[in-house]
Amino acid sequence: MLYDELSDMEKKAYDLILKHRKKGIYQNDLWKILGINSREASRIVAKLMKRGLIIRKPAVNRGRKTYLILPAPPKKPTKAKKKLELKFLTKIDIRPFLDIPCVKCPFIDKCYEGGFYDPTNCPWLEEWLYNNVYAKKKRV
């Protein structure tokens, strides 16, 4: 996650920005609260902006030009990304697996290799494999 990749001071700054979520926090107040200089604060803000965690807007605070720092709104997937996700999802077809006998088997919770119910010796599974895998290979 992005948050885990932040330095300790960047985490402190981001947590402070999140604390002032709706109102935001002025950049000149941010560096004073954190006890760092304005140059270091500017670098931290730039890194957080680059990672898409915050936004900043020009503002005036106590008669001085500064920036209002706000948490970035959650990103909405773009139409292209949605299409890509849908395209990927439509290629997954689970219908061929629905008739595997294991899906309907009453002994599935007791079935394991070497057990009384063993998938390596299951007549239902063997028949399904023959009809759906081996038979299709012969046809091709």
Side-chain angles (χ1 to χ4, degrees):
M1 182 181 166
L2 292 175
Y3 185 80
D4 296 333
E5 298 168 6
L6 300 176
S7 71
D8 289 340
M9 189 55 73
E10 290 167 347
K11 286 179 183 178
K12 286 179 185 177
Y14 186 59
D15 290 340
L16 192 58
I17 293 164
L18 289 176
K19 185 178 175 185
H20 294 86
R21 186 173 297 274
K22 291 188 180 180
K23 286 184 181 178
I25 185 168
Y26 293 107
Q27 187 167 327
N28 60 347
D29 289 338
L30 178 69
W31 62 268
K32 289 175 186 173
I33 293 169
L34 293 173
I36 57 177
N37 61 40
S38 61
R39 175 185 257 179
E40 193 175 345
S42 295
R43 288 183 182 150
I44 289 171
V45 167
K47 285 181 184 177
L48 295 175
M49 284 177 39
K50 186 177 180 181
R51 293 174 186 248
L53 297 172
I54 64 169
I55 56 172
R56 71 179 192 171
K57 298 179 180 180
V60 177
N61 182 28
R62 293 182 232 132
R64 293 185 164 256
K65 287 185 178 182
T66 186
Y67 291 97
L68 183 64
I69 313 295
L70 298 157
K75 292 183 178 178
K76 295 179 182 175
T78 62
K79 287 184 180 181
K81 189 173 180 181
K82 283 182 182 178
K83 280 185 179 179
L84 180 65
E85 288 172 356
L86 289 174
K87 189 175 183 181
F88 177 74
L89 290 175
T90 55
K91 287 188 175 188
I92 298 171
D93 186 12
I94 64 165
R95 286 178 288 179
F97 302 101
L98 292 177
D99 65 336
I100 294 176
C102 303
V103 174
K104 299 177 228 162
C105 181
F107 308 112
I108 190 69
D109 58 334
K110 298 173 187 159
C111 184
Y112 58 92
E113 193 172 346
F116 184 77
Y117 300 103
D118 187 342
T120 59
N121 296 322
C122 177
W124 299 322
L125 184 57
E126 199 172 290
E127 181 183 355
W128 184 86
L129 284 170
Y130 180 78
N131 291 335
N132 291 283
V133 179
Y134 306 126
K136 285 183 181 178
K137 282 185 179 179
K138 288 180 181 177
R139 281 184 246 154
V140 175

